[in-house]
Amino acid sequence: MHPSDGQGYSPSVPGSYSHQTPAKVPPHQSSGQYNYSGSQNVSQLNNYQGPGQTLNRPPVTPFSGSPVQQTGPVPQVLLPALQNSAAVSSAGSFPPGASPPVLSNWQYSQTPGSQPVGSQTSHLAHVTGTGSAQPPSSLSGNTNPPGSYQYAASPGGPPLQNSYMKPGSAPPPVTQPLTPLHPPARPPLGPPPVGGPPLIRPSTLVAGPPNTQSLLNSAANREGDAPSTASDGSVVQNSYDAIEGGGLMATPHPSPAPPNLKMNRSVGYSYPTLPPGYQNTSPPGAPGMQASALQYPDGSKHFHQPALGTNHLTASMGGLSLQQEGLRPVNLLQERNILPTTLLKAPVPNLHEDIQKLNCNPELFRCTLTNIPQTQALLNKAKLPLGLLLHPFKDLSQLPVVTSSTIVRCRSCRTYINPFVSFLDQRRWKCNLCYRVNDVPEEFMYNPVTRVYGEPHKRPEVQNATIEFMAPSEYMLRPPQPPVYLFVFDVSHNAIETGYLNTVCQTLLDNLDLLPGNTRTKIGFITFDSTIHFYSLQEGLSQPQMLIVSDIEDVFIPMPENLLVNLNENKELIQDLLRTLPQMFTKSLETQSALGPALQAAFKLMSPTGGRISVFQTQLPSVGMGALKSREEPNQRATAKDIHLTPSTDFYKKLALDCSGQQVAVDLFLLSGQYSDLASLGCISRYSAGSVYYYQSYHHKHNPVQVEKLQKELKRYLTRKIGFEAVMRIRCTKGLSIHTFHGNFFVRSTDLLSLPNVNPDAGYAVQMSVEESLTDMQVVSFQSALLYTSSKGERRIRVHTMCLPVVTTLSDVYLGADVQAITGLLANMAVDRSVSATLSDARDALVNAVIDSLSAYRSSVLSIQQPGLMAPNSLRLFPLYVLALLKQKAFQTGTNARLDERIFTMCQVKNQPLVYLMLMTHPSLYRVDNLTDEGALNINDRTIPQPPILQLSVEKLSRDGAYLMDAGSVMFLWIGKNCGQSFISQVLGVPNYGSVPQNMTHLPELETAESIRTIAFISWLREQRPFFPILYIVKDDSPLKSSFLQNMIEDRTESALSYYEFLLHIQQQVNK
Amino acid sequence: MAIGGTPSGAVEGGEQRALPNLLDKNKALSILSYLSVFPDLGLQIITLSDLECDYINARSCCSKLNKWVVPEVIGHAVVTVLMLISLHWFIFLLNLPVATWNIYRYIMVPSGNMGVFDPTEIHNRGQLKSHMKEAMIKLGFHLLCFFMYLYSMILALIND
């Protein structure tokens, strides 16, 4: 619209204002400016205007006409109509009458943990929550966490609505409108402290949340999968630091906080500071909590951002239950059944409810400590790692997309505007990362969702922690690249023997039309043995032409064009090639493999455009550059010493960095029977932001299970979203600094990750330290911004922002510990340690992490020294998870884990999002032969039984049952010897136990209730993840029994301790 | 390079007159070899701080720095050996740990890394800071040594 002035980061250009203003005001014009793409549009409306909010809008109307803005009457006139439409649309999706059946599912378990489940889900919560003023107020009550139940149900709705309006309607005297708000707000606040303690519900707290999450996830995922390719084909990224970074992370200039900070946080949640009297009364209501409860009021005195701060309410009442629950020490030696029966959920940060509602979904952005320690000294004392785990490019079903010519960012630190900034007044906002005060650009004053002028704080950017911007041309260094895919196949004798080429070419043929891309998509093929073969797919040729380059010392590209061709224009030729390729080399006797030169050739071919290289390799590269020697010594597999985890050459690393510089990513598919030195080969993917797939002993006849696995994974790989030329930057509040990065990428400069490709299945982790103490801050924020080019050639920025409270006491730090995130981060750190030092060092470090944190807890937090092994409730699963890590393939000792397999697991640890990493480390075990509909979920008319999760111990297995073990990428269905006849015949479809086939990987779809339930449950588990876990059916005598039993983490093995022994060992060390 | 400038002037003058005396010649030589060490350390510090401020990317920074690792190791080893030959025990012992550390650091680079400075590692685990610290300490050490040599050289000349 205004390409010239729209981009100005300096909104203070006086000239542009006068031009802009008239243009902005007419609603039709601006509606063009802010496109909510496709289906997202509707849901977006819901997000911003729940029925409650919309109908309460009237007070807003005078606002838009207020003298501050020159909007004129236009918006006013339009408003009623808009309100109606908004109300209708949102009412349509959540009709008060119709909602109970749907809502009840998640309400039932909506406990504190469930709030941050996701942008999509929190929107749901938002809708019902704000609707509390409306008839369905009972609903809102239910949806709120039990801890803050009273607060939300009674005063929550109306006072909040008021507070929204008042600060806006009369900007100058904001402070005054706020104060009158206190009285109405306070009375309801009073009682809770008294009622606080009874609110503690230990059992629900533990048991409730997981269900919700899984339910919501599944709902989200199902919606998400389909549209992800269609509506937001937004996978593409750009990788220019200059652009995303907007230049250097300029040293932030903290502007002195303006004196009138009370009126901060435009949104004006109306509890800026609690009156002293209240503060004093709250603690008594909370026996045992005084120490920490007192902390909060303390901090708030000199704090600028009252509303953003820790929820005083939660701190004093709702939080009490949480806090007590979280801090209650658990004697691990006594609590036998410590594992919750449902999936563990991320802890909810102790923030004001309204802030928390906006916070980022923990699946996307998670911190190991949801209460950030104020100083490094405090962090050191806690002996827990501080870090973030990210899954930034996850497929999302509801992603607000903003198309606006102005992307509002902080002028000094380049932070994107987000829900946790504070609006000083209508025209200025304060960055929550560097505290600089910025101007609100004129364009930003208009809210495209409500179509109201003068409500910058209600814009989608300020209402969503996860948002995607369509980036204007300043965010490009070159025109967005086309999607380019190059496939490199090993066709040596060994490769032909495995027969993989058939599977791969067939899968590729089937999915050729599903490759993400547009009319510009290009594709090419290279094969290699000891020479390199290129394929010319020139238009007009009757069949593909093969060009052989035998000079592997100095690789060159035989012809300048037609090696990478447009997919749509040459589809027939490409299909022809894919059909003939598997047969072309069947008589090849060449055993050498020139992987290095082939990669160099591929790089040369791709470097002008950038894109994705998929390499299929079946053996150790033996000739040319990058040739490797076998380093595995089978006799030494069992010991943790002297195994080669480090690359043997820097060739692949250098090449990967070259690729990264040219926006090329290399994905490696290793299908190998013998040792192939994945430690060296893996570097090519690791530093070019690719992914590694490993199929041990792949053979088309001897190993049909691997064939199916390859097919499924390849299908997902080919069709998933992809982002090109991407960069990611993670920013955090001044005082915190990121010092270590984990994942597949190249850290190009201090905080800029270069990702030539980004895919939705990749997770990242970073470690942080507290550089300057966070005094005077009640909250800190983290923001990750991913700039990429989608497969449709659009430049997009996906921004996630997370806000967390700061605490000053050790007990609060322990209270907010997120045990899963800690385990995930420790696993990443342990991989680094085993590569840089030795595996046994890494194992020791893992054990020490448990010992140190528990002894720090014992000596600094527990006042009474009790016998036994005490752990804070939040960390009660910590020893179990660490033991699981020690028994995981990556870190285990004393087994025959092959070196490549071990290294592959390490790659997965580094590259998997936390959810799957946790499943891989500590699988879930369910008993499935007696599934009932009790407590089942209902999704789309399907009944999904919810069996409880069992401990991973053989003790829990019974010979007359059947058990499903869900280990993320694989599932095992173990059938006991005396398993009920009904299960065998009605679910497995065979007459008796003896006739269950050895290599069964599918359950027949039978018309029996048992079969339907089992299949519903398994497919529900599968739907929650993007890849397809293979189901192995394991009998007592099957070869897979050992892999099944290996996952029985709580049991003792030849070389590893049982859970109880491990606890005793820790206790011994802790009590020393 | 401010640091490099001063010594070079001092050396040229000192070298000619020092020629007759074998021991002085050694010192002159060591000052000469310092000519390689000083700019190297200066370059290291400047390049590392450039990287810290995002002026260059990790790849070019590390390839720049790795070029100078071997000259530094050799230069310092030569100085140390010269001191041993000329039987300056104190100075030899002073130099020995630093020279050993240099050689150790060079030998211990893992086979998969691209040199002492690895672009993929430099931003991790505070490596950048520790490299910076190391360069600073060495610079201080070499400055100290430089003035010691200068002093003893002048002393030797006067005694002549």
Side-chain angles (χ1 to χ4, degrees):
Chain A
M1 306 245 117
H2 304 285
S4 56
D5 53 3
Q7 278 342 303
Y9 290 123
S10 49
S12 50
V13 183
S16 64
Y17 269 115
S18 52
H19 289 297
Q20 268 179 332
T21 322
K24 294 295 137 45
V25 178
H28 58 268
Q29 181 132 8
S30 13
S31 70
Q33 237 167 351
Y34 309 91
N35 300 326
Y36 289 82
S37 57
S39 62
Q40 291 166 348
N41 198 353
V42 178
S43 46
Q44 214 33 58
L45 280 173
N46 283 337
N47 295 337
Y48 300 118
Q49 324 171 255
Q53 237 172 323
T54 334
L55 296 177
N56 274 346
R57 171 84 39 64
V60 176
T61 329
F63 173 23
S64 59
S66 77
V68 183
Q69 298 81 26
Q70 315 113 328
T71 350
V74 183
Q76 260 178 322
V77 176
L78 276 177
L79 200 64
L82 280 172
Q83 278 175 5
N84 284 344
S85 71
V88 168
S89 75
S90 48
S93 41
F94 301 97
S99 49
V102 186
L103 289 171
S104 58
N105 280 329
W106 57 280
Q107 278 166 5
Y108 123 84
S109 49
Q110 185 89 358
T111 47
S114 56
Q115 281 284 32
V117 165
S119 60
Q120 60 277 47
T121 55
S122 62
H123 295 327
L124 284 178
H126 182 78
V127 170
T128 49
T130 47
S132 60
Q134 298 310 118
S137 63
S138 58
L139 287 182
S140 79
N142 288 338
T143 55
N144 276 298
S148 47
Y149 175 89
Q150 297 189 352
Y151 155 72
S154 50
L160 277 180
Q161 298 290 344
N162 289 340
S163 64
Y164 264 105
M165 312 312 166
K166 292 216 172 166
S169 58
V174 171
T175 7
Q176 275 141 356
L178 275 179
T179 27
L181 269 181
H182 280 295
R186 208 178 316 145
L189 294 184
V194 189
L199 285 173
I200 305 165
R201 300 180 192 175
S203 56
T204 40
L205 267 180
V206 179
N211 264 342
T212 332
Q213 186 178 27
S214 40
L215 169 62
L216 290 171
N217 287 349
S218 73
N221 274 343
R222 253 176 304 106
E223 293 167 47
D225 282 344
S228 62
T229 36
S231 70
D232 40 351
S234 49
V235 191
V236 193
Q237 310 255 355
N238 259 348
S239 52
Y240 311 114
D241 27 344
I243 281 173
E244 199 285 78
L248 328 165
M249 260 294 265
T251 46
H253 304 293
S255 56
N260 59 342
L261 277 167
K262 282 242 173 73
M263 48 182 279
N264 259 347
R265 184 52 194 172
S266 60
V267 198
Y269 298 114
S270 55
Y271 315 106
T273 44
L274 287 175
Y278 177 67
Q279 294 170 3
N280 292 337
T281 54
S282 60
M289 289 321 302
Q290 293 168 359
S292 50
L294 279 173
Q295 297 299 331
Y296 297 104
D298 240 34
S300 68
K301 274 174 201 158
H302 30 134
F303 182 59
H304 334 132
Q305 279 191 307
L308 265 184
T310 335
N311 183 1
H312 302 282
L313 275 176
T314 359
S316 51
M317 37 167 294
L320 276 188
S321 59
L322 242 184
Q323 240 166 343
Q324 279 195 333
E325 181 59 29
L327 266 189
R328 183 173 58 84
V330 180
N331 189 343
L332 293 176
L333 287 171
Q334 278 174 5
E335 302 245 343
R336 187 104 182 78
N337 295 315
I338 206 158
L339 193 73
T341 56
T342 44
L343 288 172
L344 196 68
K345 293 202 57 183
V348 183
N350 184 20
L351 288 166
H352 191 288
E353 192 189 339
D354 298 316
I355 306 289
Q356 183 50 38
K357 206 161 56 190
L358 297 173
N359 223 343
C360 193
N361 182 345
E363 282 179 18
L364 304 173
F365 215 143
R366 209 154 155 181
C367 185
T368 54
L369 303 175
T370 53
N371 289 334
I372 303 288
Q374 195 182 40
T375 58
Q376 181 69 33
L378 188 61
L379 176 60
N380 292 342
K381 234 194 257 170
K383 303 274 184 195
L384 292 171
L386 175 61
L388 301 171
L389 290 115
L390 296 96
H391 188 184
F393 205 55
K394 186 177 163 35
D395 291 324
L396 295 173
S397 56
Q398 270 202 337
L399 179 68
V401 179
V402 173
T403 309
S404 156
S405 54
T406 314
I407 295 177
V408 182
R409 299 174 70 179
C410 172
R411 286 177 67 189
S412 75
C413 68
R414 313 302 295 142
T415 299
Y416 296 82
I417 196 164
N418 60 69
F420 312 108
V421 302
S422 43
F423 282 89
L424 300 179
D425 53 39
Q426 288 277 317
R427 296 291 181 157
R428 289 182 304 156
W429 62 277
K430 195 163 85 167
C431 174
N432 52 337
L433 299 199
C434 68
Y435 300 108
R436 182 198 155 98
V437 177
N438 293 277
D439 293 329
V440 176
E442 184 64 23
E443 200 178 343
F444 201 72
M445 298 296 289
Y446 177 80
N447 184 350
V449 179
T450 58
R451 309 212 179 167
V452 170
Y453 184 85
E455 282 188 346
H457 55 268
K458 287 203 179 163
R459 297 241 332 177
E461 291 92 327
V462 191
Q463 290 292 320
N464 289 284
T466 294
I467 195 157
E468 190 153 285
F469 295 98
M470 303 291 295
S473 54
E474 293 88 28
Y475 289 80
M476 306 169 194
L477 283 186
R478 58 176 186 183
Q481 69 161 81
V484 184
Y485 305 108
L486 178 64
F487 294 88
V488 181
F489 297 119
D490 178 3
V491 293
S492 61
H493 180 69
N494 187 45
I496 298 302
E497 274 294 286
T498 63
Y500 85 92
L501 214 50
N502 275 315
T503 318
V504 172
C505 289
Q506 192 53 48
T507 314
L508 199 50
L509 265 176
D510 295 343
N511 295 295
L512 214 50
D513 296 324
L514 299 175
L515 283 177
N518 52 12
T519 49
R520 299 196 298 158
T521 310
K522 284 176 156 189
I523 194 166
F525 299 89
I526 291 179
T527 56
F528 66 95
D529 39 31
S530 62
T531 54
I532 303 167
H533 324 130
F534 295 83
Y535 295 87
S536 162
L537 299 162
Q538 194 178 359
E539 254 177 283
L541 285 180
S542 57
Q543 60 177 41
Q545 187 187 1
M546 184 160 103
L547 305 153
I548 300 179
V549 172
S550 52
D551 182 7
I552 54 172
E553 292 308 315
D554 182 21
V555 184
F556 59 93
I557 305 291
M559 60 196 293
E561 45 202 16
N562 295 324
L563 295 177
L564 280 174
V565 293
N566 189 300
L567 175 61
N568 295 322
E569 291 165 12
N570 300 281
K571 195 166 270 172
E572 277 175 18
L573 216 51
I574 292 165
Q575 284 170 335
D576 194 26
L577 175 64
L578 284 175
R579 276 189 213 106
T580 51
L581 205 53
Q583 277 76 50
M584 280 163 75
F585 300 94
T586 40
K587 294 194 181 100
S588 162
L589 292 175
E590 185 56 74
T591 53
Q592 305 276 44
S593 161
L595 176 68
L599 283 172
Q600 285 176 325
F603 165 66
K604 279 191 183 162
L605 198 55
M606 294 289 274
S607 51
T609 48
R612 180 174 81 185
I613 301 177
S614 317
V615 184
F616 294 79
Q617 169 74 6
T618 62
Q619 56 172 319
L620 202 64
S622 51
V623 287
M625 299 286 287
L628 299 170
K629 287 199 181 71
S630 177
R631 298 186 293 169
E632 190 187 42
E633 289 149 68
N635 305 334
Q636 289 188 352
R637 273 183 199 163
T639 60
K641 283 178 207 158
D642 295 331
I643 54 170
H644 298 282
L645 300 172
T646 48
S648 59
T649 162
D650 62 357
F651 171 79
Y652 294 98
K653 195 184 225 176
K654 274 185 180 153
L655 190 58
L657 293 185
D658 289 336
C659 287
S660 176
Q662 299 298 324
Q663 310 298 347
V664 177
V666 185
D667 294 324
L668 177 68
F669 290 79
L670 188 62
L671 316 103
S672 149
Q674 321 106 17
Y675 174 72
S676 304
D677 202 350
L678 188 56
S680 306
L681 293 185
C683 286
I684 189 77
S685 297
R686 183 166 167 206
Y687 299 109
S688 67
S691 26
V692 177
Y693 295 84
Y694 178 55
Y695 305 90
Q696 196 186 349
S697 314
Y698 183 93
H699 196 280
H700 64 122
K701 282 207 191 96
H702 306 326
N703 207 342
V705 176
Q706 292 281 35
V707 177
E708 190 187 353
K709 189 162 176 255
L710 174 65
Q711 276 171 343
K712 300 280 185 194
E713 292 188 354
L714 193 59
K715 181 170 193 303
R716 163 71 184 167
Y717 170 78
L718 293 172
T719 55
R720 69 188 177 189
K721 284 171 65 170
I722 181 168
F724 297 98
E725 26 182 21
V727 282
M728 181 161 77
R729 185 159 256 159
I730 304 164
R731 300 182 168 89
C732 41
T733 297
K734 194 166 67 86
L736 292 171
S737 79
I738 295 172
H739 61 80
T740 304
F741 300 85
H742 303 280
N744 288 0
F745 46 68
F746 172 49
V747 189
R748 197 158 50 193
S749 61
T750 35
D751 59 347
L752 186 84
L753 312 182
S754 157
L755 300 158
N757 280 186
V758 60
N759 70 67
D761 301 338
Y764 307 95
V766 298
Q767 285 170 253
M768 290 184 299
S769 57
V770 185
E771 293 256 298
E772 302 161 33
S773 76
L774 306 165
T775 339
D776 296 347
M777 293 181 204
Q778 264 191 342
V779 292
V780 288
S781 305
F782 308 91
Q783 186 171 71
S784 80
L786 181 69
L787 174 64
Y788 65 95
T789 303
S790 78
S791 49
K792 304 270 180 279
E794 295 161 326
R795 203 76 175 132
R796 290 172 169 236
I797 311 165
R798 188 173 292 189
V799 179
H800 305 286
T801 317
M802 178 172 64
C803 179
L804 292 175
V806 176
V807 295
T808 50
T809 62
L810 204 54
S811 57
D812 285 335
V813 175
Y814 282 113
L815 177 70
D818 179 344
V819 67
Q820 287 186 317
I822 291 174
T823 314
L825 190 62
L826 279 177
N828 275 300
M829 292 159 69
V831 170
D832 273 6
R833 176 65 79 88
S834 34
V835 172
S836 64
T838 63
L839 194 61
S840 47
D841 268 12
R843 290 172 55 89
D844 291 347
L846 283 174
V847 179
N848 287 338
V850 183
I851 294 171
D852 289 347
S853 58
L854 292 189
S855 50
Y857 176 73
R858 183 187 167 89
S859 56
S860 319
V861 179
L862 284 184
S863 44
I864 316 152
Q865 296 296 335
Q866 293 153 302
L869 179 60
M870 307 308 287
N873 194 38
S874 57
L875 289 180
R876 67 193 189 285
L877 293 174
F878 193 26
L880 179 61
Y881 283 160
V882 167
L883 182 67
L885 277 182
L886 292 176
K887 293 188 175 184
Q888 208 208 24
K889 279 220 180 74
F891 306 111
Q892 68 189 0
T893 52
T895 52
N896 285 340
R898 293 193 182 195
L899 192 46
D900 278 347
E901 212 179 341
R902 188 190 290 277
I903 289 163
F904 175 62
T905 323
M906 288 186 172
C907 294
Q908 281 188 308
V909 167
K910 282 247 168 184
N911 197 30
Q912 291 252 12
L914 182 64
V915 201
Y916 311 127
L917 176 59
M918 283 317 295
L919 269 183
M920 192 170 95
T921 311
H922 188 274
S924 313
L925 183 69
Y926 307 91
R927 181 166 184 163
V928 289
D929 65 324
N930 53 1
L931 293 177
T932 61
D933 285 344
E934 197 181 322
L937 299 177
N938 270 298
I939 300 172
N940 296 348
D941 300 334
R942 286 193 312 160
T943 308
I944 294 142
Q946 295 292 300
I949 293 181
L950 304 173
Q951 281 165 283
L952 291 171
S953 165
V954 173
E955 170 198 10
K956 296 281 170 189
L957 299 181
S958 127
R959 268 177 193 282
D960 44 13
Y963 295 84
L964 180 75
M965 179 186 279
D966 174 14
S969 55
V970 286
M971 291 184 182
F972 298 99
L973 180 61
W974 184 81
I975 317 282
K977 221 171 204 149
N978 306 327
C979 180
Q981 187 58 37
S982 65
F983 183 81
I984 291 183
S985 59
Q986 311 221 350
V987 177
L988 301 176
V990 292
N992 54 47
Y993 182 77
S995 51
V996 176
Q998 191 70 259
N999 274 329
M1000 194 171 171
T1001 53
H1002 286 283
L1003 290 181
E1005 293 201 16
L1006 304 175
E1007 286 300 313
T1008 58
E1010 287 89 345
S1011 174
I1012 290 172
R1013 279 197 202 112
T1014 315
I1015 288 178
F1017 181 59
I1018 291 174
S1019 49
W1020 174 73
L1021 287 174
R1022 280 180 174 158
E1023 278 160 15
Q1024 291 175 45
R1025 54 204 75 162
F1027 45 85
F1028 183 88
I1030 297 236
L1031 176 75
Y1032 296 101
I1033 291 167
V1034 183
K1035 288 200 300 179
D1036 253 1
D1037 53 348
S1038 17
L1040 279 165
K1041 194 186 165 196
S1042 62
S1043 1
F1044 175 74
L1045 291 180
Q1046 224 164 44
N1047 284 330
M1048 290 297 174
I1049 281 147
E1050 299 196 16
D1051 290 337
R1052 188 183 177 156
T1053 65
E1054 284 166 25
S1055 55
L1057 300 175
S1058 73
Y1059 179 54
Y1060 191 74
E1061 288 167 326
F1062 185 64
L1063 286 181
L1064 286 179
H1065 171 70
I1066 289 175
Q1067 185 199 17
Q1068 208 182 1
Q1069 300 291 316
V1070 166
N1071 292 352
K1072 242 198 267 185
Chain B
M1 204 146 302
I3 309 151
T6 14
S8 63
V11 170
E12 273 164 36
E15 196 187 1
Q16 283 170 352
R17 269 189 275 164
L19 273 178
N21 188 315
L22 178 74
L23 297 186
D24 287 347
K25 193 177 169 189
N26 274 343
K27 273 184 214 127
L29 274 175
S30 47
I31 289 176
L32 261 183
S33 30
Y34 265 63
L35 289 184
S36 74
V37 175
F38 269 124
D40 168 34
L41 284 171
L43 179 92
Q44 231 180 69
I45 290 170
I46 290 169
T47 319
L48 286 173
S49 59
D50 272 1
L51 182 64
E52 237 174 7
C53 312
D54 255 12
Y55 291 133
I56 52 174
N57 74 44
R59 186 90 202 267
S60 50
C61 165
C62 290
S63 61
K64 243 188 211 174
L65 294 180
N66 281 331
K67 256 187 275 172
W68 285 92
V69 169
V70 178
E72 187 195 337
V73 170
I74 292 174
H76 202 217
V78 166
V79 171
T80 314
V81 170
L82 282 180
M83 290 306 159
L84 180 64
I85 293 169
S86 59
L87 302 175
H88 284 88
W89 290 106
F90 175 70
I91 296 177
F92 168 71
L93 289 177
L94 196 69
N95 271 302
L96 192 62
V98 182
T100 320
W101 165 250
N102 274 341
I103 294 169
Y104 172 81
R105 189 176 69 147
Y106 180 68
I107 291 174
M108 290 313 282
V109 172
S111 54
N113 277 18
M114 295 165 63
V116 172
F117 300 89
D118 189 278
T120 58
E121 302 273 318
I122 197 155
H123 285 297
N124 271 2
R125 294 184 293 276
Q127 275 200 13
L128 185 55
K129 269 184 200 160
S130 58
H131 281 309
M132 196 74 170
K133 226 180 268 170
E134 194 188 313
M136 287 292 196
I137 291 171
K138 274 196 208 157
L139 189 68
F141 169 80
H142 286 305
L143 266 179
L144 180 82
C145 284
F146 173 74
F147 286 112
M148 267 168 60
Y149 301 157
L150 207 62
Y151 170 78
S152 49
M153 187 180 77
I154 293 167
L155 208 66
L157 286 177
I158 292 171
N159 287 349
D160 266 357

